Amino acid sequence: ITFGSALSLFTLYFRRNFIILPTMINKSTVHVMAFATLLFCTQISIAQTTRHVSSTGNDNDNDCLNSTTPCGSIQHALNVAADNDIVSLASGAYAQSATLVINRPLTLEAADPTNLPILSTTADQLIRISSPNVTISGLHLQLGLTPTTGRTGIYSNSNFNELSLQNNRFESTAPRDIISFMNYEWNATAIQLEGALTSAHTVNIEGNEIMRVANTKIFGRGLYMGNGAGTNCPGGIIANNTFEGFYGLQFVRISEDL
């Protein structure tokens, strides 16, 4: 790396984090900055504990830490988890009667990415996020597209900055209306994210699939971000997804680079 490129990199990095560099800088200053930055980065570690969940597990007096005696419900594991923990779901069916609430930074993921856990609900929303730095990976969400069968898969209108949705499957199970020939449910969304006007949000949405099986309705909006009525669409990266819906993608009031 040359001095010129090093200077450019550090200038970009510090400006992005709202720190203004001096107008005059020499090589020795950059070398010190580089060494300090490297030292700082290599000494940072975030403790991560895995909480285990199985559809055949048990929540009683269980902190979900032992993989041989997993918890039985996802919400219990989310409640006992600490910041930055991993909640690992074994393969199986998880029928929910209330919205799953994630209110701390953590990862919710499949224990076996080749055999995804299947989540369904009798609530309006299957998963609701109210925390930054949440990752959801490798889940199969089955939605009936109504307020009592899961109208929305993943929803947030709170602080969801740095949300990462990776390799999830959103499946419509709503029977198609043969009489009216309606093949979509307009108010149903697989992913709906609405950022407050007063804060910036970025997301990383990659490798997801929004789909339906034969003779079922499609989502009104597959990925719906912002609504134009006081909320913004976040910025970030959306890549390598397959979205099926009346509107596969709908963005309103994009607040950051997308």
Side-chain angles (χ1 to χ4, degrees):
I1 184 169
T2 66
F3 170 65
S5 58
L7 176 57
S8 298
L9 286 172
F10 277 104
T11 302
L12 176 62
Y13 174 80
F14 278 88
R15 284 181 178 171
R16 178 65 182 85
N17 288 274
F18 308 106
I19 298 175
I20 301 175
L21 288 175
T23 54
M24 297 297 292
I25 190 167
N26 56 41
K27 282 188 178 182
S28 60
T29 306
V30 169
H31 292 159
V32 170
M33 289 168 60
F35 174 78
T37 302
L38 178 61
L39 181 62
F40 177 74
C41 292
T42 55
Q43 290 182 341
I44 289 178
S45 63
I46 298 176
Q48 282 189 312
T49 300
T50 299
R51 312 279 176 167
H52 303 275
V53 183
S54 169
S55 58
T56 59
N58 192 314
D59 290 340
N60 292 335
D61 297 322
N62 198 341
D63 58 11
C64 315
L65 292 176
N66 193 331
S67 61
T68 62
T69 56
C71 292
S73 71
I74 301 171
Q75 189 62 64
H76 177 75
L78 294 173
N79 291 344
V80 299
D83 287 3
N84 306 308
D85 278 1
I86 298 171
V87 176
S88 177
L89 306 186
S91 302
Y94 298 84
Q96 308 299 309
S97 59
T99 298
L100 294 170
V101 177
I102 301 176
N103 57 11
R104 57 170 41 90
L106 54 73
T107 296
L108 178 62
E109 67 179 18
D112 180 2
T114 66
N115 190 4
L116 305 185
I118 300 174
L119 282 64
S120 60
T121 189
T122 55
D124 186 30
Q125 300 164 357
L126 184 43
I127 299 174
R128 187 182 184 102
I129 299 168
S130 59
S131 172
N133 299 297
V134 170
T135 296
I136 299 177
S137 176
L139 305 188
H140 183 167
L141 281 60
Q142 290 186 333
L143 303 163
L145 310 191
T146 75
T148 57
T149 62
R151 180 164 53 186
T152 301
I154 295 176
Y155 177 82
S156 183
N157 65 350
S158 184
N159 183 3
F160 56 85
N161 191 37
E162 301 297 334
L163 172 64
S164 179
L165 304 178
Q166 305 282 328
N167 304 313
N168 300 288
R169 181 180 301 162
F170 301 80
E171 177 188 346
S172 165
T173 59
R176 185 169 181 174
D177 190 338
I178 303 300
I179 296 176
S180 67
F181 298 100
M182 288 289 288
N183 71 338
Y184 66 92
E185 191 64 42
W186 175 247
N187 290 321
T189 55
I191 304 168
Q192 185 171 349
L193 304 173
E194 303 173 355
L197 297 179
T198 55
S199 58
H201 294 79
T202 59
V203 297
N204 185 10
I205 301 175
E206 296 192 58
N208 301 281
E209 181 179 13
I210 298 174
M211 55 173 288
R212 61 169 172 166
V213 295
N215 298 317
T216 60
K217 294 181 181 180
I218 60 176
F219 292 88
R221 275 73 64 88
L223 173 59
Y224 182 32
M225 302 203 300
N227 68 13
T231 63
N232 280 339
C233 167
I237 297 174
I238 300 173
N240 303 315
N241 301 282
T242 300
F243 294 154
E244 183 177 10
F246 187 84
Y247 289 163
L249 304 172
Q250 186 174 13
F251 305 148
V252 183
R253 294 177 63 102
I254 298 175
S255 61
E256 300 290 316
D257 290 341
L258 181 62

